Amino acid sequence: MITQDDLNNLKAIAGEQFVSTGESVLDLHSHDESYHTPVLPDVVVWPHNTDEVSRVARYAFQRRIPITGWGLGTSLEGNPIPVNRGIVVDFQAMQRVLDVRPEDFQVDVEAGVVYKELNKALAEHGLFFPPDPGAAATIGGMVGNNASGIRTIKYGATKDHIALLVVVLPGGEVVRIGNRARKSSSGYDLIHLFVGSEGTLGLVTEATLKLVGLPADFMALRVTFPEVKNATDSVFQIMRSGFTPAAMEFLDSNVITVLNRDRNLAMQERPTLLMEFDGFSHEGLRAEMAYVEEICTENGSTFIDKGIGRAERDRLWETRHLTFESIKRRHPGLLPLIVDVAIPLSHYSEMVAFIKKEVNGLLAFIFGHAGDGNIHVIIMDAPADIRRWARVEEANCHIVEKALEYEGTCTGEHGIGIGKRRFLAEEHGDSLKLMKRIKRLIDPEGIFNPGKFFL
Ligand SMILES: Cc1cc2nc3c(=O)[nH]c(=O)nc-3n(C[C@H](O)[C@H](O)[C@H](O)COP(=O)(O)OP(=O)(O)OC[C@H]3O[C@@H](n4cnc5c(N)ncnc54)[C@H](O)[C@@H]3O)c2cc1C
């Protein structure tokens, strides 16, 4: 339990107005975007730099107070919910872009920087940070969850774009891991240990990000197919032909139905692929487009909408970016359980068929990043209705088990948080014991984001 003394000591570190126990502040830091039960922290602290984070961590360690990092709380698995209460460290007062080095394709940022804002600032240098989870996420939160999104197929996930991290360990020690070279074979790969660790091993205060040149031009297609298999065969054939789509999304017919109703559109309500390609010139992209169209037509496509240039790309992709909001808006009063399995590509259409059977009778919407084997199912229901929610959980369980049967994973990008803990033993087998040993070694008191990852 936090005492007045604790509050005074935290205020001495971060400043009087950067420590709060206000009701609305605690409420805001009690939940993410998932259905998981909110838990109020005892106190929220907004540190301004690595030294303050380190001092907060040292104090929490001395007093054995739980400490949980907070970006913008857009997680989908309860990842930042402070389930054991304690201190939430919110990184909103650490939003500085410290150094842009265009010639190195690198930028140094503080953990609270929001990637969309960063990309606006980087555009003037002709550069961008590619991982794109869609929501307004911070770099710290993206590192925490190893976020990715629609562009993973071409550009990779957050883990592929981190050169260096400054991390505060439990106890307050500050470590700098990684380097600024473009490649390295030196030592254990600690970057990849911390990326995706959801704040259970350390708090990231600064990061050096690897950047990519902004593409000069874009081309996009929205293609409908009679069956899921026609769509997934097209994905495989397009990629095997040597094309590298920048994004390749699958939307099942019921998602199109929701989008039509919510946005007053008239898209064919069939399995749909949304594709984006980037490149150097209209001519090159036009040639690619003709080839991609041919593959889709050979696979029985029933409708193709297409365009070249940024405006056309934005027009064709607008609905995809609104999918989550449209589904939520059409189902007021219900909460989403979001399945996030990822599987080897060859099983994609079988997996979608399996999911359809599993969710029969539920309000479920299937879509995903088809190019990297990630499938999302949003199941809308009321967690308070115990009988119905048990059915939702059961469907989720069966879908994850099927993904593991295909040697896939329970989470492609949302992380373990609270909801996926029960699948770790099955997915990781003996290596889960190694993960637990690493956790005990780095956080012997178990105070960094407790209640996550491990059951
Ligand atoms: C509409 C919508 C769409 C989404 N689409 C995608 C998608 O396509 N792909 C995807 O990957 N995700 C997606 N997400 C999930 C979410 O946006 C990402 O997981 C994102 O990375 C979370 O960032 P955040 O700043 O909100 O972090 P938070 O949710 O605040 O925190 C995330 C985790 O990181 C920890 N953490 C936060 N800051 C730090 C830090 N400085 N150091 C160490 N740990 C820290 C937290 O404790 C928590 O465990 C979506 C979410 C929404 C609402």
Side-chain angles (χ1 to χ4, degrees):
M1 189 65 189
I2 293 266
T3 62
Q4 189 55 47
D5 235 24
D6 294 328
L7 296 179
N8 293 343
N9 282 312
L10 292 171
K11 283 177 184 169
I13 296 169
E16 176 89 27
Q17 72 270 44
F18 297 100
V19 175
S20 176
T21 53
E23 211 176 303
S24 60
V25 167
L26 298 187
D27 181 56
L28 203 68
H29 293 85
S30 69
H31 60 87
D32 59 2
E33 294 286 334
S34 71
Y35 66 93
H36 293 289
T37 310
V39 179
L40 297 175
D42 290 308
V43 56
V44 178
V45 180
W46 290 267
H48 297 84
N49 51 48
T50 301
D51 180 55
E52 288 184 9
V53 177
S54 159
R55 286 161 65 202
V56 171
R58 194 176 320 136
Y59 186 77
F61 185 78
Q62 283 159 4
R63 293 269 299 114
R64 308 294 187 262
I65 300 171
I67 179 167
T68 302
W70 190 276
L72 279 168
T74 65
S75 287
L76 298 169
E77 267 309 346
N79 323 51
I81 296 178
V83 290
N84 289 10
R85 306 201 62 171
I87 303 169
V88 158
V89 174
D90 183 323
F91 282 88
Q92 283 310 289
M94 292 180 65
Q95 289 214 32
R96 282 177 306 163
V97 175
L98 301 167
D99 188 20
V100 189
R101 294 182 301 285
E103 296 80 7
D104 291 334
F105 290 82
Q106 287 179 0
V107 63
D108 299 342
V109 296
E110 290 185 323
V113 165
V114 176
Y115 82 97
K116 287 186 181 187
E117 297 305 316
L118 176 67
N119 277 338
K120 279 185 204 155
L122 290 172
E124 70 177 85
H125 302 282
L127 297 170
F128 78 118
F129 174 64
D132 181 5
T138 62
I139 297 301
M142 291 175 70
V143 170
N145 289 349
N146 185 23
S148 47
I150 60 168
R151 300 219 163 71
T152 315
I153 180 177
K154 179 163 184 177
Y155 295 105
T158 300
K159 72 179 169 62
D160 303 306
H161 294 274
I162 306 291
L164 194 150
L165 291 175
V166 178
V167 182
V168 171
L169 300 178
E173 186 187 345
V174 180
V175 287
R176 239 172 101 89
I177 55 179
N179 54 59
R180 294 208 165 109
R182 281 184 77 80
K183 59 190 254 187
S184 170
S185 302
S186 173
Y188 295 133
D189 189 349
L190 296 181
I191 294 269
H192 285 123
L193 175 63
F194 280 89
V195 178
S197 65
E198 299 180 27
T200 60
L201 300 177
L203 289 172
V204 173
T205 58
E206 292 177 21
T208 296
L209 309 178
K210 298 178 189 172
L211 308 173
V212 171
L214 266 178
D217 212 342
F218 298 92
M219 171 273 270
L221 299 102
R222 177 168 56 79
V223 186
T224 49
F225 294 92
E227 302 291 338
V228 176
K229 178 95 172 57
N230 306 84
T232 54
D233 283 352
S234 305
V235 171
F236 170 68
Q237 286 165 24
I238 289 165
M239 289 167 66
R240 194 190 50 187
S241 306
F243 296 113
T244 313
M248 176 82 95
E249 295 287 293
F250 167 73
L251 303 172
D252 200 16
S253 47
N254 57 357
V255 176
I256 303 291
T257 304
V258 165
L259 289 167
N260 277 345
R261 292 203 182 130
D262 193 52
R263 307 275 158 186
N264 205 14
L265 301 168
M267 294 184 284
Q268 282 191 7
E269 293 178 3
R270 293 176 169 213
T272 298
L273 278 185
L274 263 177
M275 294 173 255
E276 174 184 314
F277 295 77
D278 55 29
F280 186 65
S281 68
H282 263 45
E283 290 65 39
L285 289 168
R286 192 164 290 119
E288 270 188 66
M289 183 189 264
Y291 205 91
V292 170
E293 256 189 289
E294 197 179 310
I295 291 174
C296 294
T297 308
E298 276 168 13
N299 280 299
S301 62
T302 55
F303 180 78
I304 299 180
D305 191 358
K306 59 189 180 181
I308 297 188
R310 191 178 288 270
E312 276 296 278
R313 186 275 310 264
D314 292 349
R315 174 182 72 80
L316 286 157
W317 274 82
E318 193 191 2
T319 45
R320 170 62 185 90
H321 295 304
L322 303 169
T323 303
F324 188 49
E325 286 316 312
S326 288
I327 292 172
K328 278 205 305 187
R329 200 180 14 248
R330 300 297 299 181
H331 303 95
L334 302 182
L335 290 175
L337 181 147
I338 307 181
V339 177
D340 175 39
V341 291
I343 48 160
L345 276 185
S346 58
H347 294 295
Y348 208 89
S349 60
E350 284 165 69
M351 189 73 206
V352 173
F354 177 85
I355 292 171
K356 283 188 171 190
K357 280 201 197 119
E358 265 312 311
V359 298
N360 191 17
L362 295 171
L363 269 173
F365 304 90
I366 307 170
F367 60 101
H369 313 308
D372 55 34
N374 199 182
I375 306 183
H376 296 312
V377 191
I378 298 187
I379 312 179
M380 300 299 295
D381 219 307
D385 184 333
I386 292 166
R387 196 183 49 82
R388 282 200 60 84
W389 196 258
R391 167 83 183 86
V392 171
E393 297 258 20
E394 185 189 43
N396 177 33
C397 245
H398 290 168
I399 294 166
V400 172
E401 276 160 13
K402 192 68 177 174
L404 298 184
E405 225 175 83
Y406 290 142
E407 296 187 80
T409 175
C410 65
T411 172
E413 55 186 24
H414 297 163
I416 304 298
I418 299 167
K420 300 283 171 15
R421 291 175 304 169
R422 64 190 143 144
F423 303 118
L424 282 208
E426 193 177 338
E427 179 170 339
H428 294 286
D430 277 350
S431 65
L432 183 62
K433 289 187 199 141
L434 182 59
M435 290 188 203
K436 286 183 176 169
R437 270 157 51 198
I438 291 169
K439 168 73 174 168
R440 273 198 297 275
L441 180 73
I442 298 178
D443 182 20
E445 297 298 331
I447 56 171
F448 264 44
N449 203 2
K452 310 297 163 56
F453 256 57
F454 309 111
L455 277 174

